[in-house]
Amino acid sequence: MSNAVAAPPAHAPESGAARTGRTSLSMNQAINAALHDALAADPRAVVLGEDVGVLGGVFRVTDGLQAEFGADRVFDTPLAESGILGMSVGLAMAGYHPIPEVQFDGFVYPAINQLVTQIARMNFRTRGALPMPITLRMPSFGGIQSPELHSESLEWLFAHVAGLKVVSPSSPHQAYHLLRHAASRPDPVVYMEPKSRYWQKGEVDFDEPGNLEGVDVAREGRHLTLVAWGAMVTRCLQAAEAAAEDGLDVEVLDLRWLSPIDADGLAASIAKTRRAVVVHEAPKTAGLGAEVAQLITERCFGTLKAPVERVTGFDVPFPSGSLENEYIPNIDRILYGIQRVLEYRRG
Amino acid sequence: MTSLAFERTPLADAELVRLYSQMTQVRHLDTSAIAWQRQGIVPGYAPMRGQEAAQVGAVAALDMSRDFLFPTYREMGAALAAGVDMGEYMATHKATWNGGMYDARATRVTPIQTVIGGSALHAVGWGHGQRLDALAADADAPLDLPVALVFLGDGATSQGDVHEAMNFAGVFETPTVFFVQNNGWAISVPTERQVSGGSVAARGAGYGIAAVRVDGNDIEEVVQATRAAVAHARSGAGPVVVEAMTYRRGPHSTSDDPGRYRSLEEERNDGGPDPLDVARERLLSRGAFSTADVADVQSAAEALEERVRADVQAQGPRPGAEMFEYVYQEMPVSLREQAAAWREESDHV
C-alpha cells in the first residue's frame, strides 16, 4: 500500500533554533517540521495519538519527534479516538496545548462526541474560563486507494460546528505555516491534511509566511475562478493549465480556512472574474460548496455572469479505491464545470 | 482486583458536624429546587435526594486548593461542598447559562456536564497533565500529585467513553478517582439492566486499577474510602474506582415519572437508611450533638436556601451579546458580522 511508504523526515534544526531561508520539502516533511518547531517553541505543546511515537505515524509525519522531545511530549495512546480527544480536553484544562492526531479521517467518527459536545463547546460553557487550544491533525480526503473509511471529506461536518475552526493546507509552505499558526492559537482548530499530497514537494519560505488568515490566490486569472481547498487545489491548478490551452485564463482560489471562511477574500476574486466553480471531494448535498456559492451570491449577485457551479463528490459513501477516480472530481469534470459556467445564457 | 484498603475509623466529631451541616444544606436546597420548579422559578432540575453522603463525602476527601472536580448534572451536593456559589450553580437549571455561571477555573469545578461519561476522559487528561508537570519539575522527587475526581452514575458506565477513560487511566497511571454513585437507577432502568456483572467496582480488575465498593449512605465510610483513593492516586500509584452504593430517592428529573417504573413501596424499601439519619444518629449517640444543634443546622440550611432562591429569582437572561462573545477566544469576522446584524435587527441595542 502506497501510504505505508515513508518519506525521510525533514532536516530538523538544533532544538530551539528558528528556521530561516527557503527549503524544498514534501508536505509531510513540512508538517513534521512544523510539529517539531511547535514543540520546541512551546513547552506546553504535546503530541498524542496512535503510533505517533516510536513509529512516527503511519505517514511518518511525526517521525523523530519522540526521539527528540521524549515520550512525555510525544506519546502513543491506546487505540481509541474518543479517548485521544477526550484526554486532549483534560490536558487543555491542565494548561497544555495538545496536538492530537486521528490516524485517518474516517476514524474521527467515534470521537465526534468529544469533538462536538466537549471541545467545541467548552469555552462557551465556561464563559471563557477553560479554553481549548487543541489542534486536531487528521490525514484527510481521498486519492491514495486506501481501505474503507481511510478517505473521507468531512470539512462540511467540522465547519458546521460552532466553536471549531477548520483549515486545510494545499502546499508544503502552507502546511508548515498554517500548522504553526493553528497550534499557537487559543481556540480548537481541525487541521485537515490532504493525504494524497503528502509527497508533493514545494518550496517553504520560513522567513515569509504570508497572510495566514484568509484565502490564498494560487493562480491569478481573469475569466473564471475555481474555488478549492486541500488536495483539490493542485487538481484545479492542473485544470487551469488545461483550460489555458483553450485560451482561458482561470484563477484558482485556495480557500484554506473552511471555518471561518474569508468571505471578503472570496468575493474579491469573484468580483474580478465574475464566474465561479467550487470544487470539493465531499458529497454535493449540503456540502461546503453550497455555502461558498451562497457567500458569492450574497456579495457578488449583481456582477455574476452565471450561477456558481459545483463539481463535487457524489451523494454516495466515499467509494473503494477502484472507483475513487470516478468519485473524486477529475480534470475533465472540472473542465465541464467551467464550460457550464461559460455557456450559461440568461433566461 | 486490587481492592483498595481503607480505615473504617470514625471521623472526628467536629468534622462530622461540618459534613452533616453541608448534607443538611444540600438536602434542603435540593428539596427546595424541586419546589422552585413547581412554582415556575426554574424550568427543570435533576434531584439528588439520597446521595448527600456520597457527594459531600467524596469532596471532603479532596484538597480543593489543588485537586479538580468533574461533576455531572446531579452533583449539587458536590458543588456545594466544593464551595461553588449555589446561585451560580443553579444558573444551568434556571436556563441562564449552559454549564452554570460559576468560574470553572477559580472553583476548580468543571461546568455541569450533560453528556454522561464525557468528562471521565477529561479527568484522565487533566490528571495526566499533573503527572507531566510533576515529572517536568523534578523527575526524581516522590510524586505528590493533584488529583482529578470525576463523578459518574451507574448509567454513565455504560458509555464507551468510561471504558476508554478507565483504560487510558490504567495505561498512563493517571491520578484519577472515578467516583461512581450507583444509585440504582439510570432514569427508568435499574442497575441490573444497566451494569452487566452488577458491579462497577469489579471492573477495576479488568483495567488493572484499584477499586473499592462502599456504603454510599454512610458518610464516614465514603470519606475514609475516598481519602484512601485520593492518597493512592496522589502518590502516583494510579487511578481508583470508588463505587458508592446509594439510591436515587426521587425522580431522574422534574420531568420524570418514577411511578411508571417503580412503586412507592419499592422506593421506601430499596433506598436503605437515609444518609442524613445515619449521620445525625451517630452524632447524637456520640453526644457530639444535641437536638438543639440539629435545629440550628436546619435553620442555617433554610437561611441559605432563602439566599439562593433570591439569587436565582433575580437572574434574568444574560445579555445576548454574550452568546457570540464566548464561542471562541478569538471571534471570527463572520461571527462578528452576525453579532452586528443581531444587534441591528433586534431591540437589544
Side-chain angles (χ1 to χ4, degrees):
Chain A
M1 218 169 64
S2 59
N3 66 6
V5 177
H11 170 70
E14 294 296 315
S15 197
R19 287 171 210 266
T20 54
R22 300 174 180 192
T23 315
S24 176
L25 294 174
S26 61
M27 193 183 286
N28 66 345
Q29 290 172 325
I31 298 169
N32 179 271
L35 288 170
H36 175 279
D37 294 356
L39 286 162
D42 177 3
R44 306 297 284 180
V46 289
V47 168
L48 66 155
E50 296 161 17
D51 305 313
V52 298
V54 176
L55 180 68
V58 291
F59 293 103
R60 306 296 183 270
V61 171
T62 55
D63 198 20
L65 298 179
Q66 189 181 69
E68 177 155 357
F69 295 98
D72 288 340
R73 306 277 313 278
V74 180
F75 57 93
D76 290 323
T77 66
L79 254 161
E81 287 75 16
S82 191
I84 294 165
L85 294 194
M87 186 176 197
S88 296
V89 171
L91 282 163
M93 287 175 172
Y96 282 83
H97 300 155
I99 310 178
E101 173 181 305
V102 164
Q103 199 164 63
F104 281 94
D105 36 24
F107 302 166
V108 82
Y109 292 120
I112 289 293
N113 175 30
Q114 285 291 336
L115 193 59
V116 174
T117 73
Q118 307 299 325
I119 292 176
R121 301 170 76 101
M122 195 61 75
N123 191 73
F124 190 74
R125 299 169 70 236
T126 62
R127 301 171 61 78
L130 297 177
M132 292 284 113
I134 295 170
T135 306
L136 166 59
R137 290 181 41 248
M138 196 172 354
S140 299
F141 316 114
I144 62 163
Q145 304 255 315
S146 52
E148 188 175 24
L149 291 167
H150 290 60
S151 296
E152 299 285 295
S153 192
L154 296 172
E155 66 276 26
W156 56 275
L157 172 57
F158 305 133
H160 197 65
V161 178
L164 299 179
K165 295 180 180 179
V166 187
V167 70
S168 187
S170 66
S171 68
H173 177 82
Q174 288 187 17
Y176 177 86
H177 290 292
L178 288 173
L179 181 53
R180 290 296 310 276
H181 185 63
S184 67
R185 306 321 310 155
D187 289 309
V189 180
V190 181
Y191 180 88
M192 301 177 69
E193 300 174 2
K195 62 172 87 77
S196 65
R197 305 293 172 210
Y198 272 141
W199 302 278
Q200 173 186 322
K201 288 208 131 198
E203 188 176 80
V204 180
D205 186 337
F206 293 109
D207 301 326
E208 297 292 340
N211 174 28
L212 297 174
E213 292 286 356
V215 300
D216 181 61
V217 178
R219 175 194 164 109
E220 299 260 8
R222 292 174 293 132
H223 297 143
L224 178 142
T225 300
L226 291 175
V227 183
W229 49 90
M232 284 299 99
V233 173
T234 305
R235 187 147 294 175
C236 286
L237 287 169
Q238 292 162 347
E241 289 296 320
E245 291 170 17
D246 294 332
L248 277 175
D249 189 11
V250 171
E251 177 148 314
V252 177
L253 189 73
D254 181 354
L255 204 58
R256 302 199 302 177
W257 287 93
L258 311 176
S259 177
I261 291 175
D262 172 15
D264 291 341
L266 177 67
S269 174
I270 288 22
K272 184 173 65 172
T273 63
R274 304 173 72 179
R275 293 183 177 92
V277 177
V278 195
V279 181
H280 64 63
E281 294 186 46
K284 186 173 199 171
T285 300
L288 215 52
E291 179 67 27
V292 170
Q294 177 60 18
L295 287 172
I296 292 170
T297 303
E298 287 170 8
R299 283 167 169 76
C300 308
F301 182 74
T303 56
L304 279 180
K305 289 193 170 174
V308 178
E309 274 287 335
R310 287 180 284 172
V311 177
T312 69
F314 304 109
D315 293 354
V316 302
F318 212 106
S320 56
S322 71
L323 292 173
E324 215 175 33
N325 290 337
E326 303 300 324
Y327 173 87
I328 299 173
N330 57 30
I331 292 171
D332 284 344
R333 285 183 58 210
I334 296 169
L335 291 174
Y336 270 111
I338 290 173
Q339 197 177 342
R340 289 198 295 275
V341 171
L342 291 173
E343 291 178 353
Y344 175 79
R345 291 288 176 271
R346 238 171 253 273
Chain B
M1 171 169 79
T2 316
S3 187
L4 186 82
F6 67 96
E7 297 281 335
R8 287 175 191 271
T9 49
L11 299 176
D13 288 349
E15 180 163 36
L16 191 54
V17 167
R18 183 176 67 81
L19 298 179
Y20 175 73
S21 300
Q22 284 185 355
M23 289 165 68
T24 305
Q25 289 174 355
V26 173
R27 169 67 59 88
H28 193 65
L29 265 184
D30 179 70
T31 309
S32 300
I34 299 166
W36 299 345
Q37 193 271 333
R38 306 297 186 229
Q39 295 159 12
I41 297 173
V42 297
Y45 177 68
M48 44 79 63
R49 185 185 182 89
Q51 299 178 218
E52 294 86 353
Q55 296 186 16
V56 168
V59 174
L62 296 176
D63 173 358
M64 289 308 296
S65 71
R66 60 174 177 152
D67 296 333
F68 221 99
L69 198 58
F70 295 76
T72 74
Y73 48 78
R74 199 188 301 288
E75 263 79 63
M76 176 196 259
L80 181 140
V84 171
D85 178 90
M86 285 290 103
E88 294 178 353
Y89 176 86
M90 283 300 296
T92 282
H93 303 295
K94 168 79 173 176
T96 304
W97 195 264
N98 294 333
M101 284 291 292
Y102 55 92
D103 183 330
R105 182 166 294 283
T107 58
R108 309 181 75 76
V109 178
T110 54
I112 291 171
Q113 175 65 263
T114 310
V115 182
I116 56 168
S119 45
L121 283 162
H122 309 168
V124 172
W126 185 88
H128 189 60
Q130 308 315 306
R131 200 180 174 93
L132 294 179
D133 284 350
L135 293 173
D138 184 353
D140 298 325
L143 288 171
D144 179 35
L145 300 169
V147 171
L149 187 144
V150 55
F151 279 106
L152 303 170
D154 42 305
T157 69
S158 298
Q159 291 273 330
D161 271 3
V162 173
H163 157 67
E164 294 189 22
M166 290 184 180
N167 189 47
F168 273 55
V171 166
F172 291 107
E173 297 186 311
T174 61
T176 313
V177 176
F178 297 98
F179 191 94
V180 181
Q181 292 173 88
N182 188 336
N183 67 10
W185 293 91
I187 306 189
S188 63
V189 177
T191 299
E192 60 266 26
R193 299 297 302 162
Q194 191 67 235
V195 181
S196 179
S199 166
V200 182
R203 292 180 181 170
Y207 301 107
I209 60 184
V212 65
R213 195 177 225 196
V214 297
D215 179 355
N217 296 328
D218 180 340
I219 188 153
E220 292 191 288
E221 189 163 321
V222 172
V223 172
Q224 298 289 24
T226 313
R227 279 203 177 127
V230 169
H232 180 93
R234 219 185 269 307
S235 71
V240 185
V241 177
V242 178
E243 184 179 21
M245 304 306 291
T246 176
Y247 192 78
R248 192 195 77 214
R249 287 161 188 270
H252 161 72
S253 74
T254 45
S255 309
D256 184 18
D257 176 9
R260 285 173 177 248
Y261 53 84
R262 70 188 189 196
S263 66
L264 284 173
E265 192 185 354
E266 283 170 326
E267 285 184 19
R268 271 194 301 274
N269 295 339
D270 297 349
D274 185 311
L276 263 79
D277 294 344
V278 173
R280 187 177 52 249
E281 293 308 317
R282 213 164 276 171
L283 282 170
L284 291 169
S285 70
R286 283 187 209 163
F289 225 28
S290 67
T291 43
D293 292 329
V294 174
D296 286 349
V297 166
Q298 180 62 26
S299 302
E302 287 166 12
L304 173 67
E305 185 267 326
E306 277 178 35
R307 279 206 308 279
V308 176
R309 176 166 38 77
D311 275 6
V312 172
Q313 280 180 305
Q315 281 176 26
R318 302 298 309 166
E322 290 184 359
M323 163 171 79
F324 302 95
E325 194 178 318
Y326 289 116
V327 184
Y328 299 95
Q329 291 276 317
E330 295 178 332
M331 193 192 292
V333 173
S334 53
L335 190 55
R336 201 175 301 284
E337 287 171 358
Q338 289 181 24
W342 161 80
R343 210 170 269 119
E344 199 166 304
E345 295 164 7
S346 68
D347 297 328
H348 307 283
V349 181

